Amino acid sequence: IGTPFELWLEALAETAQQERGPADFLQRAMATLAELPWLSGLSWACDEGRGNLGVASPHRLEVSDHDLHLTLFSRQAISPSVLLHINLLVRVLGHYYQAKRHEQSLREMARLQAVYETGARLTHDLKNMLQSMLALAAIAEHHPDRAQMLLQSQLPVLTQRMEATLAKLKSPQPEAESATLPLQ
């Protein structure tokens, strides 16, 4: 039908697809919300920050959804039907915002998991190299006659493995971009 509510929902869904972080999403969503004709301004506060848009007026309404707190300023007194409309708007906005926060949390957990796994692999490689060096040292100590030939064959292999491990430490592979999925 093309009502302001529908247009705002479309803009909100588009913003949710374009913005990755909850703070950026919230900033753009608030700018879209402030464009509604019956609002003169708004302010918000949440864990991601706070902000103001537009102009304050004597007709104000405070609405919250989880940790998102909004103060809406209207051009005239707010009727009960508009109050229901506002509560619906804030609830939808809050769901998108919470989804963005959850998405960011999952991205951070995936990044930490990758760091942990990379560290575990490098630690395992180092442990294997140290065990190999310990075995070579034990052979050199107990069988000096075989040590020279064994050291000549194994030291280049150990050196290559150490260089590969050091290269991984110096320049780790760039973090794979997490797959983006539509919120719906």
Side-chain angles (χ1 to χ4, degrees), residues 143-162:
H143 305 287
D145 53 323
R146 293 188 339 191
Q148 184 64 33
M149 184 178 67
L150 189 60
L151 287 174
Q152 284 178 341
S153 66
Q154 290 301 309
L155 281 181
V157 174
L158 275 173
T159 303
Q160 287 175 346
R161 287 173 57 194
M162 282 187 233

Side-chain angles (χ1 to χ4, degrees), residues 8-19 25 28 96:
W8 182 78
L9 279 178
E10 287 176 10
L12 185 67
E14 185 178 315
T15 299
Q17 288 180 349
Q18 292 173 351
E19 297 296 337
F25 164 76
R28 277 194 53 201
Y96 272 103

Side-chain angles (χ1 to χ4, degrees), residues 76-150:
Q76 60 223 11
I78 298 172
S79 69
S81 62
V82 174
L83 181 61
L84 288 173
H85 187 78
I86 291 169
N87 284 327
L88 179 61
L89 290 174
V90 171
R91 180 158 292 199
V92 170
L93 178 64
H95 281 294
Y96 272 103
Y97 171 67
Q98 294 302 328
K100 282 293 175 184
R101 290 184 64 195
H102 183 68
E103 180 184 326
Q104 182 179 31
S105 172
L106 289 176
R107 253 193 323 270
E108 182 63 21
M109 286 181 359
R111 190 186 73 74
L112 290 175
Q113 180 70 25
V115 167
Y116 168 77
E117 288 174 2
T118 300
R121 281 192 301 273
L122 290 174
T123 302
H124 182 73
D125 289 348
L126 288 172
K127 180 188 73 106
N128 286 342
M129 284 185 271
L130 289 173
Q131 286 177 338
S132 297
M133 289 180 75
L134 183 62
L136 285 174
I139 290 173
E141 185 179 330
H142 292 70
H143 305 287
D145 53 323
R146 293 188 339 191
Q148 184 64 33
M149 184 178 67
L150 189 60

Side-chain angles (χ1 to χ4, degrees), residues 23 26-31 33-34 41-56 67-73 97:
L26 199 54
Q27 183 71 35
R28 277 194 53 201
M30 291 300 164
L33 184 62
L42 58 92
S43 66
W44 71 93
C46 63
D47 290 345
E48 304 298 324
R50 55 185 58 243
N52 297 310
L53 291 171
V55 209
D67 71 326
L68 177 60
H69 306 286
L70 284 142
T71 303
L72 304 168
F73 301 100
Y97 171 67

Side-chain angles (χ1 to χ4, degrees), residues 54-72:
V55 209
S57 76
H59 307 288
R60 65 185 279 156
L61 176 66
E62 293 186 19
V63 188
S64 295
D65 185 74
H66 298 290
D67 71 326
L68 177 60
H69 306 286
L70 284 142
T71 303
L72 304 168

Side-chain angles (χ1 to χ4, degrees), residues 171-183:
S171 60
Q173 295 299 318
E175 209 176 289
E177 194 63 34
S178 62
T180 56
L181 300 172
L183 287 177

